[in-house]
Amino acid sequence: METLITQALTTADVRDPELEHQHLTAARALQHLNRVRRVELTTNNHQITLTTRRTPLQTRALAAIGVDTRTWNKATIT
């Protein structure tokens, strides 16, 4: 899996911000992506689910590996 992710990041030319001349590796991408959170709040008999905002690097990494995040920007209220 790490090899496939690293290949996808390299193909998409996602660079490591701390190592300017190197592509982001799967391990480093996962470190950054580990900060994304999906939060569920319950109030007044309603449940609100939302995903934290992604940094530009997280957005590029997710796009490179084919993750569709379009619905992540909208809170869900049930």
Side-chain angles (χ1 to χ4, degrees):
M1 287 303 291
E2 285 189 20
T3 300
L4 294 173
I5 292 170
T6 298
Q7 287 175 346
L9 293 167
T10 300
T11 299
D13 197 30
V14 180
R15 301 284 175 158
D16 190 316
E18 295 177 17
L19 304 169
E20 183 179 323
H21 300 291
Q22 293 185 19
H23 289 101
L24 194 64
T25 64
R28 294 267 300 138
L30 292 171
Q31 286 177 343
H32 286 275
L33 293 173
N34 190 40
R35 297 179 186 134
V36 176
R37 297 285 182 258
R38 186 144 180 100
V39 180
E40 294 182 0
L41 306 167
T42 302
T43 180
N44 296 332
N45 298 323
H46 293 288
Q47 185 171 4
I48 303 168
T49 305
L50 55 97
T51 304
T52 57
R53 291 185 182 165
R54 273 91 44 228
T55 66
L57 179 61
Q58 291 167 333
T59 300
R60 287 193 318 273
L62 288 165
I65 60 175
V67 176
D68 182 0
T69 62
R70 288 178 289 182
T71 61
W72 293 15
N73 294 330
K74 299 176 185 174
T76 303
I77 303 172
T78 55

